[in-house]
Amino acid sequence: MANAYLIIGAALSAIAALLHLGCVAYGPSWYRFFGAGERMAQLAASGHIAPTLITLAIAAVLGTWSLYALSGAGVIPRLPLLRIGLSVISGIYLLRGVAGFVLAATAPGERSVAFWCWSSLICLVIGTLYLVGTHQAWSALSRSAA
C-alpha cells in the first residue's frame, strides 16, 4: 500500500513547483502576490534574467523533491540515496518553517509578516508530511536498498 503522507507531500511540492513556474510565466503580479518581494517583481518587470533563473531553480528543486516523495511512497521506481534524500528534504522543509517564523518576528525585511507566517506554516505542514511518511516507510526503504 502506498504511503499517503508522502503522496500528499509530493502533491504539495509539485503544486509549489507549478506556482513558481506560474511566476515565471505570468510575471511581476505573480511575484508580488506570492510574496517574492518588490525587488524581484521589479527585476522581472524590467526583463532581468535573475528572477527567472532563481524561480526556475526553486521549481526544479521542488519538482525533484516531489519525485523523491513519490519514490519513497513506492509510486515510482526507487531514486538514488532515497532515505538520505527524504530525511534531508524533511529537515529543510521543517527548518524553513521554523526559520520563517523567527524572521517574521525579528526581521521581516522586504516581505510581510503575513508572507513569512503563511509560507512557514505551509513548509511545516509539508515537512511534517515528509517526516511522518519517511518514518513510516523507513524499514521498507532499507529493505529495498541496492
Side-chain angles (χ1 to χ4, degrees):
M1 183 164 148
N3 184 311
Y5 291 100
L6 287 174
I7 291 171
I8 295 167
L12 293 174
S13 290
I15 290 167
L18 291 172
L19 290 173
H20 280 80
L21 293 177
C23 289
V24 172
Y26 298 109
S29 64
W30 276 52
Y31 281 104
R32 285 184 187 99
F33 179 80
F34 287 107
E38 189 57 31
R39 179 167 155 72
M40 283 285 277
Q42 288 178 358
L43 287 170
S46 69
H48 199 283
I49 192 73
T52 298
L53 294 177
I54 291 166
T55 308
L56 288 175
I58 293 168
V61 168
L62 292 168
T64 301
W65 290 0
S66 179
L67 292 175
Y68 266 79
L70 291 174
S71 179
V75 174
I76 64 171
R78 185 181 175 90
L79 294 174
L81 302 171
L82 185 56
R83 285 181 6 151
I84 292 169
L86 288 172
S87 298
V88 169
I89 294 165
S90 300
I92 291 171
Y93 267 127
L94 293 169
L95 181 61
R96 165 54 184 86
V98 171
F101 283 116
V102 172
L103 285 171
T106 60
E110 184 178 315
R111 291 168 182 85
S112 69
V113 171
F115 164 81
W116 284 117
C117 291
W118 278 110
S119 62
S120 295
L121 181 61
I122 291 166
C123 287
L124 286 173
V125 166
I126 298 172
T128 300
L129 289 166
Y130 273 75
L131 180 67
V132 171
T134 300
H135 177 74
Q136 286 183 350
W138 194 258
S139 62
L141 294 175
S142 66
R143 281 195 307 267
S144 59

